[in-house]
């Protein structure tokens, strides 16, 4: 293989495979996707000869990546980076960690994702909103939702705004924030930039916070940045959006909602939502629901919000299962 210049990842993989025992290479192929197998086979077929020096470089790089992966498994990214820096120097260690996190999709703040969300919230609640947003961007959405709900109302809004507008973060910043947080918890990167945050990240988080937190954040965002709030709303489904569902979808939702929960949810619902629900029930069932609502009496706001959130969760689950279609902002309705 008489090629000059840096090798591509596929070329390195081809050199590695032909350098290994054929039986071992065959076992590796068994774990690859069909497209990857075809592309690697073509790359191998195009190899005429391999420069021994380049082969040794590829094998050495593969060995380094395996070691780095083992270090990450043992103690996380920071541990791996410290060991590699001691063995190979800072520049080489940064290069290896960058390639490994890109290829294996290792995400920063792995230790934080293993921490109890309420405890994590206590550690970061006094941090700058930008720092909190960066941390939330790398947490599991369920965990991030709990942390966001635990923050003061004014900080919830600012953190959400910063999370929504976040795009790229320098690895140096990630490592610094990650290191500081890891030291605080005590017990508990791609090549040039790492992508995280953004509108979809915010929607994932807000879909998992409680109804009261969601309302506080959205109302605050409308005052702070109305355009951003509108963009987030377009990607979310909220209780008031029941009116946008077709009748079949509403009927499927109602089958999975307890009458007591439905009455609670309607306690503060708009007349449009109430009528949408009544129209998709039998006359007798609608009359019984109206009677339940009439005799419900005073209820706590929190109970109403929880009931509404349960119905929203049913909608989201049915949508994920492909049983109903939820039209998002700016989408045209599908006719099939």
């Amino acid at each position: 293989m008489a090629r000059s210049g840096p090798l591509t990842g596929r070329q390195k993989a081809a050199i590695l495979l032909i350098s290994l025992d054929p039986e071992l290479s065959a076992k590796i192929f068994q774990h690859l996707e069909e497209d990857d197998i075809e592309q690697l086979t073509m790359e191998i077929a195009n190899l005429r000869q391999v420069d021994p020096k380049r082969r040794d470089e590829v094998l050495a790089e593969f060995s380094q990546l395996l070691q780095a992966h083992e270090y990450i498994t043992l103690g996380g990214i920071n541990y791996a980076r410290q060991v590699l820096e001691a063995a190979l120097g800072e520049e080489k260690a940064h290069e290896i960690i960058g390639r490994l996190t890109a290829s294996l999709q290792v995400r920063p703040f792995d230790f934080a994702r293993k921490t109890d969300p309420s405890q994590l919230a206590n550690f970061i609640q006094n941090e700058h909103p930008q720092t909190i947003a960066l941390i939330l961007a790398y947490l599991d959405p369920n965990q991030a939702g709990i942390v966001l709900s635990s923050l003061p109302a004014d900080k919830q809004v600012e953190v959400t705004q910063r999370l929504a507008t976040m795009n790229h973060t320098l690895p140096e910043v990630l490592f610094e924030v990650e290191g500081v947080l890891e030291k605080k918890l005590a017990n508990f990167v791609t090549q040039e930039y790492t992508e995280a945050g953004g509108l979809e990240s915010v929607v994932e988080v807000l879909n998992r916070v409680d109804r009261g937190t969601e309302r506080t954040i959205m109302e605050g965002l409308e005052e702070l940045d109305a355009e951003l709030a509108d963009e987030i709303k377009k990607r979310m489904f909220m209780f008031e959006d029941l009116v946008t569902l077709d009748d079949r979808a509403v009927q499927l939702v109602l089958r999975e909602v307890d009458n007591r929960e439905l009455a609670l949810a309607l306690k503060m619902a708009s007349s449009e939502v109430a009528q949408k629900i009544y129209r998709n029930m039998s006359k007798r069932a609608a009359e019984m629901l109206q009677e339940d609502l009439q005799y419900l009496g005073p209820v706590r706001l929190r109970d109403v919000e929880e009931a509404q959130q349960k119905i929203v969760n049913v909608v989201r689950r049915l949508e994920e299962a492909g049983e109903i279609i939820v039209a998002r902002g700016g989408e045209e309705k599908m006719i099939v």
Side-chain angles (χ1 to χ4, degrees):
M1 179 179 180
R3 297 183 183 179
S4 60
L7 298 174
T8 65
R10 192 174 298 136
Q11 289 169 350
K12 292 179 181 178
I15 293 174
L16 174 65
L17 288 170
I18 64 175
S19 301
L20 298 175
D21 181 84
E23 292 186 5
L24 180 57
S25 295
K27 290 181 179 179
I28 293 175
F29 269 122
Q30 293 175 3
H31 296 279
L32 300 178
E33 299 290 338
E34 187 174 335
D35 289 345
D36 294 329
I37 294 175
E38 291 178 2
Q39 292 171 359
L40 275 175
T41 302
M42 290 181 61
E43 194 66 51
I44 292 172
N46 289 329
L47 290 175
R48 296 293 180 266
Q49 59 181 5
V50 179
D51 179 13
K53 182 179 179 181
R54 286 211 155 181
R55 181 199 61 202
D56 292 343
E57 290 174 351
V58 169
L59 292 175
E61 180 180 337
F62 179 65
S63 176
Q64 291 170 347
L65 289 174
L66 278 181
Q67 286 182 327
H69 186 216
E70 183 178 355
Y71 295 149
I72 289 176
T73 302
L74 289 172
I77 292 179
N78 281 334
Y79 172 76
R81 184 168 57 251
Q82 290 170 6
V83 174
L84 291 173
E85 285 178 355
L88 305 173
E90 185 176 345
E91 183 177 348
K92 188 65 175 178
H94 185 81
E95 178 188 339
I96 293 173
I97 290 293
R99 286 202 304 270
L100 192 60
T101 53
S103 61
L104 299 181
Q105 295 182 339
V106 179
R107 291 168 61 83
F109 299 102
D110 180 64
F111 64 90
R113 289 191 293 279
K114 299 175 184 177
T115 305
D116 178 77
S118 59
Q119 187 172 28
L120 181 60
N122 290 332
F123 276 100
I124 69 174
Q125 63 180 341
N126 294 323
E127 297 290 339
H128 190 279
Q130 184 68 27
T131 301
I132 299 176
L134 178 61
I135 295 170
L136 294 187
Y138 286 97
L139 297 181
D140 174 87
N142 286 315
Q143 189 181 27
I146 295 173
V147 173
L148 186 60
S149 299
S150 302
L151 298 176
D154 58 338
K155 187 162 284 190
Q156 289 175 350
V157 175
E158 189 171 359
V159 168
T160 301
Q161 182 197 29
R162 290 175 182 272
L163 181 60
T165 55
M166 185 184 299
N167 191 7
H168 297 85
T169 304
L170 286 168
E172 291 78 8
V173 176
L174 272 177
F175 292 153
E176 181 179 353
V177 175
E178 185 182 21
V180 171
L181 180 61
E182 189 169 18
K183 287 180 180 178
K184 283 189 174 183
L185 290 173
N187 301 318
F188 302 100
V189 247
T190 56
Q191 295 179 358
E192 185 176 0
Y193 288 97
T194 296
E195 294 189 15
L199 289 173
E200 295 306 321
S201 180
V202 165
V203 171
E204 284 288 322
V205 173
L206 290 183
N207 279 343
R208 290 164 171 81
V209 302
D210 61 86
R211 176 73 171 159
T213 299
E214 178 185 293
R215 177 175 296 171
T216 298
I217 291 174
M218 293 310 300
E219 289 177 352
L221 276 180
E222 285 173 357
E223 295 182 7
L224 188 64
D225 191 334
E227 185 175 345
L228 175 61
D230 185 58
E231 285 300 314
I232 293 175
K233 282 182 179 180
K234 288 178 180 179
R235 290 166 169 78
M236 292 184 65
F237 184 92
M238 294 181 281
F239 181 75
E240 292 76 11
D241 294 326
L242 283 172
V243 296
T244 66
L245 298 179
D246 59 38
D247 289 345
R248 175 183 170 278
V250 174
Q251 291 162 16
L252 288 174
V253 171
L254 292 179
R255 290 179 188 175
E256 303 195 26
V257 178
D258 178 81
N259 284 343
R260 165 72 180 177
E261 297 290 346
L262 187 55
L264 271 173
L266 289 180
K267 185 71 174 180
M268 293 178 56
S270 66
S271 59
E272 291 81 1
V273 172
Q275 290 304 315
K276 181 78 172 183
I277 290 176
Y278 294 146
R279 286 198 304 269
N280 284 282
M281 305 175 73
S282 68
K283 183 178 180 181
R284 177 57 184 157
E287 290 175 349
M288 290 178 62
L289 178 59
Q290 289 172 336
E291 289 179 4
D292 289 343
L293 188 58
Q294 181 178 355
Y295 292 107
L296 195 57
V299 295
R300 295 185 303 175
L301 174 61
R302 179 178 178 180
D303 292 336
V304 175
E305 292 175 340
E306 288 180 354
Q308 292 181 349
Q309 190 63 48
K310 287 181 181 178
I311 295 175
V312 168
N313 291 340
V314 170
V315 174
R316 290 168 179 162
R317 178 166 51 78
L318 291 176
E319 182 189 20
E320 290 176 359
E323 296 186 40
I324 65 175
I325 295 175
V326 176
R328 305 295 179 185
E331 292 184 358
E332 295 183 359
K333 289 185 177 180
M334 296 174 58
I335 302 177
V336 294

